[in-house]
């Protein structure tokens, strides 16, 4: 089986500082991978390199494209990469405001990716947008409301709908539950887990919240100072951490 | 190289003396060359916004500094100039720009569309069909059709170069979801030759169908934004729309009160304090020509 995403030796430096160094892993279709670590450990840098937002200094990010098979996204042309970015890839930002157009209605936000790939029938676009709002548990009657009138949790769910409407195969998530209160977090996680399972999505989730990866991720990668210090199955890493930093990370979780 | 102001002119000696203080058509020859290069590039890539080093003009931004620079660069001493503002020859903007070129270039001016070789326009295309050999110069406030949805210039340039125009339809989608139909009635975005999406300047969408397949050259100048773009003759121009909400040019559902025309684009004019109003052609030359030919509207005395 070919991996959906095959990452080898990805490094990114900011001048003398290390963003992330020599990261390699394979991600298979339908698999959810968590990247955990403290602030500044390079997880967001890595995610941005993988999603094509930042050019890595070294390494290959090979994605199994639908039409041409495995292809290095670092060296592919920009139009191709941007096309991937609005069809097969999705990117869920930590702050919904970064991922949404705040001046455009919820329906327009969801429909944007459809129109970007050539949908030109208003009724169809609106139908799909309404359908997706319901799937992320937003009242369909709010299809014409702007995201500014939505709560934080609703904005985050809208962002997810907007990203998933074109049926991507790989979702990048950067702290998808950051800044949400715990009950809203729980609902969002529940929703994400359902969508990931139903659609057979592969996902890379960056977070510092171990509960999120415990619920969603199959595999876990622990990062510290730009380096991957431990990888393994989620339960294995969380229940039996080997590296000193992983042990610290797991033991720092507050037990209520 | 700097051509002196020509000696023979239609005006009297006093005006000629005043005009000779200027280089022909106000701009210096190097500037005109630079602008002509931008125009040629624009004509070679229809709909593409060519950056140019816009000059300070003796009028405020928003009054047609871009259009004036383009007109100045294409003017020759033998040209016949017409300037319209919202279709009219007698409004402030049109009168001042016409006087400007009378004084700085000494060219002949006219109000008749068919006689003119260069027509500078603000927000209208004349009703009378234009012919080969004529040049229509538009004044453009904001040349970037994607600007209100994507504020970053770096990003909009990339979207143009990669033909990522989905966002333009998001704007139209928003219109329909809010108003039930595409409510954009001016500056209606068009696609040129299946490639560039272009802002046709704030002409009413009634004029959009005239943009395509026009025998005249169309030049667009945005002074403050420092962009020039162009449509060569007989270019394919398509107004964007949805399959189930097709593009519809629209105008007030009346006849002209003065000349009775049912085809022309109309302005609404309030005539008294009790809500009385009349509709008149926005193209004054068209209206006058029709009245001279004996057509009469309901309000004609």
């Amino acid at each position: 089986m070919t991996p959906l995403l095959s990452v080898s030796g990805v490094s990114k430096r900011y001048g003398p500082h290390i963003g992330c160094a020599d990261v390699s892993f394979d991600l298979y279709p339908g698999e959810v991978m968590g990247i955990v670590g403290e602030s500044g450990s390079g997880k967001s840098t890595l995610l941005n390199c993988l999603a094509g937002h930042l050019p890595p200094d070294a390494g290959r990010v090979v994605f199994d494209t639908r039409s041409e098979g495995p292809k290095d996204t670092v060296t592919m042309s920009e139009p191709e990469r941007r096309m991937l970015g609005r069809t097969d890839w999705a990117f869920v930002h930590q702050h919904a405001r970064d991922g949404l157009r705040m001046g455009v209605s919820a329906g327009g936000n969801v429909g944007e990716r459809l129109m970007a790939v050539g949908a030109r029938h208003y009724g169809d676009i609106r139908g799909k947008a309404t359908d997706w709002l319901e799937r992320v548990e937003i009242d369909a009657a709010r299809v014409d409301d702007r995201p500014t009138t939505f709560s934080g949790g609703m904005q985050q769910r809208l962002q997810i709908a907007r990203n998933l409407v074109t049926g991507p195969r790989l979702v990048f998530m950067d702290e998808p539950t950051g800044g949400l209160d715990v009950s809203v977090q729980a609902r969002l996680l529940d929703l994400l887990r359902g969508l990931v399972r139903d659609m057979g999505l592969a996902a890379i989730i960056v977070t510092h919240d171990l509960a999120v990866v415990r619920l969603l991720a199959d595999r876990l990668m622990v990062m510290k100072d730009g380096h991957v210090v431990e990888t393994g199955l989620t339960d294995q890493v969380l229940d039996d951490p080997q590296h000193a930093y992983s042990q610290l990370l797991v033991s720092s979780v507050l037990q209520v | 190289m700097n051509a002196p102001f020509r000696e023979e002119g239609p005006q009297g000696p006093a005006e000629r003396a005043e005009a000779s203080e200027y280089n022909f058509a106000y701009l210096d020859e190097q500037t005109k060359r630079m602008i002509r290069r931008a125009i040629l590039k624009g004509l070679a890539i229809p709909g593409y916004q060519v950056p140019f080093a816009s000059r300070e003009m003796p009028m405020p931004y928003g009054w047609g500094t871009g259009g004036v620079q383009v007109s100045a660069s294409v003017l020759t001493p033998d040209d016949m100039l017409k300037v319209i503002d919202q279709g009219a020859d007698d409004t402030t903007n049109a009168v001042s720009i016409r006087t400007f070129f009378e004084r700085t270039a000494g060219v002949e001016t006219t109000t008749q569309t068919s006689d003119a070789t260069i027509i500078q326009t603000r927000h209208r295309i004349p009703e009378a069909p234009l012919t080969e050999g004529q040049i229509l110069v538009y004044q453009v406030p904001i040349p970037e059709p994607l600007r209100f949805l994507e504020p970053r210039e770096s990003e909009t340039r990339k979207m143009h170069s990669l033909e990522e125009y989905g966002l333009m339809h998001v704007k139209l989608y928003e219109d329909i979801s809010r108003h039930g139909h595409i409510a954009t009635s001016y500056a209606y975005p068009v696609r040129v030759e299946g490639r560039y999406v272009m802002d046709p300047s704030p002409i009413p969408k009634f004029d959009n169908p005239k943009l395509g397949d026009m025998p005249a050259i169309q030049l667009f100048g945005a002074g403050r934004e420092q962009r020039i773009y162009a449509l060569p003759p007989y270019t394919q121009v398509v107004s964007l729309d949805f399959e189930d909400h097709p593009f519809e040019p629209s105008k007030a559902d009346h006849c002209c009160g003065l000349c009775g025309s049912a085809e022309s684009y109309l302005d609404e004019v309030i005539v008294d304090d009790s809500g009385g109003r009349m509709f008149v052609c926005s193209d004054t030359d068209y209206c006058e020509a029709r009245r001279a030919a004996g057509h009469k509207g309901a309000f004609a005395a």
Side-chain angles (χ1 to χ4, degrees):
Chain A
M1 189 179 188
T2 34
L4 186 66
L5 190 74
S6 175
V7 180
S8 52
V10 167
S11 303
K12 175 79 187 171
R13 301 180 74 92
Y14 299 107
H17 306 289
I18 294 176
C20 61
D22 200 24
V23 179
S24 306
F25 65 90
D26 285 343
L27 185 76
Y28 289 88
E31 194 180 25
V32 179
M33 163 123 136
I35 303 176
V36 294
E38 61 192 2
S39 295
S41 60
K43 20 185 227 308
S44 294
T45 298
L46 176 63
L47 193 73
N48 283 321
C49 285
L50 300 182
H53 297 170
L54 276 178
D57 297 332
R60 283 152 44 87
V61 181
V62 178
F63 180 73
D64 185 19
T65 57
R66 279 185 222 230
S67 50
E68 292 168 61
K71 222 172 164 186
D72 188 355
T73 62
V74 178
T75 54
M76 74 167 41
S77 69
E78 188 168 17
E80 278 183 287
R81 193 161 50 236
R82 284 172 71 111
M83 191 63 185
L84 271 184
R86 44 177 205 271
T87 53
D88 264 355
W89 289 357
F91 197 102
V92 178
H93 293 264
Q94 175 177 4
H95 302 290
R97 282 168 182 274
D98 298 337
L100 292 172
R101 287 190 193 279
M102 300 307 281
V104 168
S105 71
N109 263 295
V110 179
E112 183 182 339
R113 273 170 82 109
L114 293 171
M115 292 182 248
V117 295
R120 292 290 179 267
H121 191 284
Y122 175 80
D124 292 353
I125 295 167
R126 196 175 168 80
K128 271 203 174 150
T130 318
D131 178 46
W132 263 100
L133 288 184
E134 279 167 354
R135 288 177 74 169
V136 297
E137 298 164 25
I138 295 174
D139 187 356
R142 303 206 59 179
V143 65
D144 292 331
D145 293 349
R146 292 189 177 190
T148 37
T149 65
F150 286 12
S151 70
M154 282 168 80
Q155 288 182 0
Q156 198 57 282
R157 275 178 279 146
L158 178 62
Q159 196 195 173
I160 289 164
R162 168 186 159 92
N163 271 290
L164 297 188
V165 67
T166 47
R169 292 186 295 154
L170 175 59
V171 187
F172 301 98
M173 294 190 226
D174 190 3
E175 306 271 12
T177 58
L180 301 176
D181 70 55
V182 278
S183 61
V184 176
Q185 269 191 29
R187 269 181 74 191
L188 187 74
L189 286 174
D190 209 35
L191 174 77
L192 275 176
R193 191 161 55 169
L195 288 172
V196 164
R197 296 280 178 272
D198 289 350
M199 299 175 72
L201 294 174
I204 298 177
I205 301 176
V206 160
T207 182
H208 56 253
D209 188 342
L210 294 183
V212 171
V213 285
R214 173 80 89 177
L215 273 170
L216 285 177
D218 304 312
R219 262 195 316 147
L220 207 57
M221 204 158 85
V222 183
M223 289 187 75
K224 166 106 177 97
D225 297 332
H227 295 273
V228 176
V229 295
E230 188 165 354
T231 56
L233 297 176
T234 305
D235 293 346
Q236 182 194 329
V237 174
L238 290 184
D239 294 340
D240 182 19
Q242 299 295 314
H243 190 273
Y245 175 70
S246 315
Q247 292 170 353
L248 180 72
L249 195 69
V250 171
S251 63
S252 332
V253 175
L254 283 176
Q255 302 293 331
V256 189
Chain B
M1 170 123 185
N2 284 12
F5 177 67
R6 65 189 175 123
E7 290 304 313
E8 69 287 342
Q11 297 137 321
E15 280 156 306
R16 214 183 300 155
E18 184 187 22
S20 62
E21 303 291 319
Y22 295 104
N23 187 39
F24 177 71
Y26 186 77
L27 290 174
D28 62 276
E29 294 302 313
Q30 284 303 322
T31 301
K32 286 196 270 182
R33 260 179 83 160
M34 175 270 293
I35 293 174
R36 285 178 201 136
R37 277 195 190 130
I39 292 172
L40 286 174
K41 183 168 179 182
L43 284 166
I45 319 170
Y48 172 72
Q49 297 166 44
V50 186
F52 79 109
S54 177
R55 299 290 192 250
E56 293 274 341
M57 296 302 282
M59 60 180 69
Y61 289 127
W63 281 69
T65 52
V68 163
Q69 289 178 72
V70 170
S71 295
S73 305
V74 296
L75 261 184
T76 66
D78 304 324
D79 271 319
M80 179 79 94
L81 181 72
K82 169 181 162 84
V83 185
I84 51 174
D85 170 9
Q86 308 266 16
D89 291 282
D90 51 3
T91 48
T92 316
N93 197 214
V95 170
S96 61
I97 291 174
R98 190 162 55 229
T99 317
F100 175 77
F101 281 119
E102 278 169 3
R103 285 172 58 176
T104 60
V107 292
E108 281 189 77
T109 56
T110 179
T111 59
Q112 286 183 13
T113 305
S114 53
D115 291 349
T117 53
I118 295 177
I119 303 171
Q120 180 169 337
T121 173
R122 174 172 174 265
H123 306 184
R124 265 320 301 279
I125 297 176
E127 302 289 351
L130 301 182
T131 55
E132 284 182 20
Q134 288 183 307
I135 300 178
L136 188 57
V137 179
Y138 296 79
Q139 302 170 199
V140 182
I142 294 172
E144 179 51 73
L146 301 160
R147 179 59 69 237
F148 290 105
L149 293 147
E150 178 52 68
R152 290 167 295 178
E153 172 70 17
S154 57
E155 187 66 17
T156 51
R157 273 198 215 184
K158 195 166 275 179
M159 291 159 84
H160 279 293
S161 62
L162 301 180
E163 278 188 81
E164 288 180 5
Y165 290 130
L167 203 52
M168 210 64 251
H169 275 85
V170 173
K171 183 175 188 283
L172 302 178
Y173 172 96
E174 287 293 286
D175 258 12
I176 304 174
S177 73
R178 202 165 304 161
H179 305 287
H181 62 276
I182 299 179
T184 302
S185 55
Y186 64 95
Y188 194 101
V190 295
R191 186 132 197 203
V192 180
E193 289 287 340
R195 178 60 182 84
Y196 284 97
V197 165
M198 186 188 95
D199 182 340
S201 87
I203 58 170
K205 67 176 169 183
F206 173 83
D207 282 341
N208 265 26
K210 298 184 209 162
L211 287 164
D213 248 353
M214 187 190 274
I217 296 174
Q218 300 174 76
L219 305 175
F220 299 78
R224 181 185 49 208
E225 304 289 325
Q226 313 201 326
R227 293 289 183 278
I228 284 173
Y229 49 105
L231 295 174
Y234 306 109
T235 305
Q236 183 206 55
V237 179
V238 178
S239 303
L240 300 180
D241 59 2
F242 284 103
E243 286 158 20
D244 47 347
H245 286 267
F247 170 78
E248 270 175 33
S250 63
K251 67 183 270 288
D253 194 14
H254 291 269
C255 293
C256 173
L258 298 177
C259 77
S261 170
E263 275 88 51
S264 68
Y265 190 75
L266 302 173
D267 285 339
E268 186 179 359
V269 181
I270 307 292
V271 290
D272 55 33
D273 286 345
S274 53
R277 60 201 181 137
M278 66 186 286
F279 290 87
V280 293
C281 294
S282 90
D283 186 338
T284 51
D285 169 55
Y286 175 82
C287 198
E288 273 160 25
R290 273 179 60 87
R291 275 181 284 159
H295 295 278
K296 265 194 174 171
F299 281 80

